[in-house]
């Protein structure tokens, strides 16, 4: 009887100690995850939570949190790069505007021709600055997931024809011709304003890199269940290693910088591809040679509702 009276507390004590030990061992992964999560910040966002056993619930939770950290790291890096490179791109036109205005006010008695020249430069840089800000605002809205695409039944040919007419006046200053190579209707479901922006960006790119006196051809063709808008310029081709990088934000190859006429923030093609994919289509380079390069907007064909 006496033995039982002593044995019961001992057994209960051992059970408590064992339970405490087992609880501590089972909660050790949680403590490790908590400590690691507490250490992760903006400077080491690449760190991840430890995953000791991917098969159990805690392991699956750690993996889900790591996936979340991966997405956060990507968004943070994209935002950091956007701010840094946008600051760099916007600094140049701001500096030109400031310099031209200071020069115009530096001395008395400047001629009307000198003042008009300064104002012309300021207007051009202001236009460039406004375009860069509009592009950055668009990408910010797109990254935030705002509904920027409003599709409706439309004729793609009308968008292409309007973009070609507008591009012809811009290209005339460099003796470049812009000619449509299609007379077919092309019904699609899309956002007219955004698709016009894609074609405008492709034409601006073609004008920028085409040789003076060259010809830009804009084709509209049906291919299976898709419409293809092909913009073929009269400039140097794109090296194969740079083709995909052309669609990165702010990217411009060294060769392209050397031959480009007029500046840009390097956002036009990135925006064009985003819009194309938002329409379940694609913008890509489909041909590139020493004397020409062809960019294509591919969109799913669609018919107007009856």
């Amino acid at each position: 009887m006496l033995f039982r009276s002593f044995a019961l507390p001992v057994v209960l004590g051992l059970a408590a100690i064992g339970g405490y030990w087992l609880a501590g061992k089972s909660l050790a992964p949680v403590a490790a995850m908590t400590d690691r999560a507490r250490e992760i910040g903006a400077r080491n966002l690449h760190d991840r939570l430890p995953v000791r056993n991917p098969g159990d619930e805690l392991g699956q939770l750690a993996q889900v949190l790591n996936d979340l950290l991966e997405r956060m790291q990507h968004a943070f890096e994209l935002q950091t790069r956007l701010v840094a490179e946008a600051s760099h791109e916007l600094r140049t036109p701001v500096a030109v505007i400031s310099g031209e205005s200071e020069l115009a006010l530096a001395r008395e008695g400047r001629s009307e021709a000198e003042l008009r020249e300064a104002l012309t430069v300021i207007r051009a840089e202001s236009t460039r600055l406004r375009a860069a800000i509009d592009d950055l605002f668009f990408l910010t809205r797109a990254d935030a997931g705002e509904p920027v695409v409003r599709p409706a039944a439309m004729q793609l040919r009308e968008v292409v024809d309007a973009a070609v007419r507008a591009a012809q006046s811009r290209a005339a200053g460099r003796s470049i011709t812009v000619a449509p190579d299609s007379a077919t209707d092309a019904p699609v479901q899309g956002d007219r304003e955004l698709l016009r922006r894609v074609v405008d960006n492709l034409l601006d790119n073609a004008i920028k890199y085409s040789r003076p006196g060259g010809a830009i051809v804009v084709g509209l063709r049906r291919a299976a269940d898709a419409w293809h808008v092909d913009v073929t310029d009269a400039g140097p081709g794109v090296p194969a290693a740079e083709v995909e990088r052309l669609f990165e934000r702010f990217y411009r190859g060294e060769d392209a910088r050397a031959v480009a006429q007029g500046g840009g923030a390097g956002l036009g093609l990135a925006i064009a591809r985003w819009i194309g994919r938002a329409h379940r289509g694609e913008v890509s380079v489909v041909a590139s040679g020493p004397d020409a390069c062809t960019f294509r907007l591919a969109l799913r064909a669609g018919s107007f509702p009856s």
Side-chain angles (χ1 to χ4, degrees):
M1 190 71 178
L2 183 63
F3 173 76
R4 290 182 179 179
S5 63
F6 280 105
L8 183 59
V10 171
V11 171
L12 292 176
L14 291 175
I17 293 172
Y20 181 81
W21 179 80
L22 289 174
K25 185 175 181 181
S26 61
L27 293 176
V30 178
M33 290 166 56
T34 302
D35 292 340
R36 180 65 64 84
R38 188 178 292 114
E39 296 171 355
I40 296 176
R43 296 181 179 274
N44 62 336
L45 199 55
H46 58 278
D47 288 349
R48 296 292 180 266
L49 302 180
V51 182
R52 296 187 178 180
N53 186 358
D56 62 18
E57 288 81 358
L58 287 178
Q60 294 174 8
L61 175 61
Q63 189 59 54
V64 169
L65 293 175
N66 283 338
D67 292 341
L68 175 62
L69 287 171
E70 185 77 25
R71 295 193 296 272
M72 290 177 59
Q73 179 188 356
H74 176 73
F76 184 79
E77 290 175 349
L78 183 62
Q79 190 71 18
T80 301
R81 181 185 173 194
L82 182 65
V83 171
E85 293 183 326
S87 300
H88 174 75
E89 292 292 339
L90 299 180
R91 187 182 297 118
T92 299
V94 169
V96 173
I97 291 171
S98 177
E100 286 291 331
S101 59
E102 289 177 3
L103 185 62
L105 297 171
R107 69 174 190 267
E108 299 290 341
R110 297 199 67 179
S111 67
E112 180 181 347
E114 290 176 321
L115 292 175
R116 291 184 65 86
E117 182 180 357
L119 289 174
T120 299
V121 173
I122 290 174
R123 182 178 63 180
E125 292 301 319
S126 298
T127 301
R128 175 185 173 190
L129 182 61
R130 182 176 60 187
I133 292 173
D134 288 344
D135 287 345
L136 290 169
F137 182 63
F138 177 86
L139 290 173
T140 300
R141 292 176 59 204
D143 290 341
E146 293 188 25
V148 296
V149 179
R150 296 175 175 83
M154 54 167 286
Q155 280 286 354
L156 186 58
R157 177 189 170 189
E158 295 176 358
V159 171
V160 173
D161 288 345
V164 168
R165 286 194 297 270
Q168 286 170 339
S169 61
R170 300 196 301 272
R174 299 188 58 225
S175 302
I176 295 173
T177 61
V178 182
D181 183 25
S182 173
T184 182
D185 290 335
V188 297
Q189 292 286 332
D191 187 308
R192 180 182 297 271
E193 181 178 343
L194 292 183
L195 291 178
R196 170 64 187 271
R197 189 168 189 171
V198 173
V199 182
D200 282 342
N201 285 356
L202 295 182
L203 284 169
D204 285 343
N205 189 73
I207 293 170
K208 186 185 301 182
Y209 298 118
S210 290
R211 297 179 300 276
I216 297 172
V217 178
V218 183
L220 176 59
R221 298 285 186 274
R222 177 74 177 260
D225 60 346
W227 289 107
H228 290 172
V229 179
D230 290 343
V231 178
T232 302
D233 61 32
V238 181
E242 293 188 9
V243 167
E244 282 305 308
R245 297 207 63 192
L246 289 177
F247 299 95
E248 295 179 8
R249 300 177 186 184
F250 299 105
Y251 179 78
R252 287 174 301 205
E254 294 298 327
D255 292 340
R257 288 195 187 98
V259 302
Q261 301 295 319
L267 293 171
L269 292 178
I271 289 175
R273 170 165 281 187
W274 188 95
I275 295 173
R277 290 180 174 177
H279 283 79
R280 294 183 295 174
E282 185 60 280
V283 174
S284 59
V285 177
V286 295
S288 180
D291 301 316
C293 186
T294 300
F295 287 78
R296 172 176 293 168
L297 164 64
L299 291 176
R300 294 177 60 179
S303 58
F304 293 149
S306 56

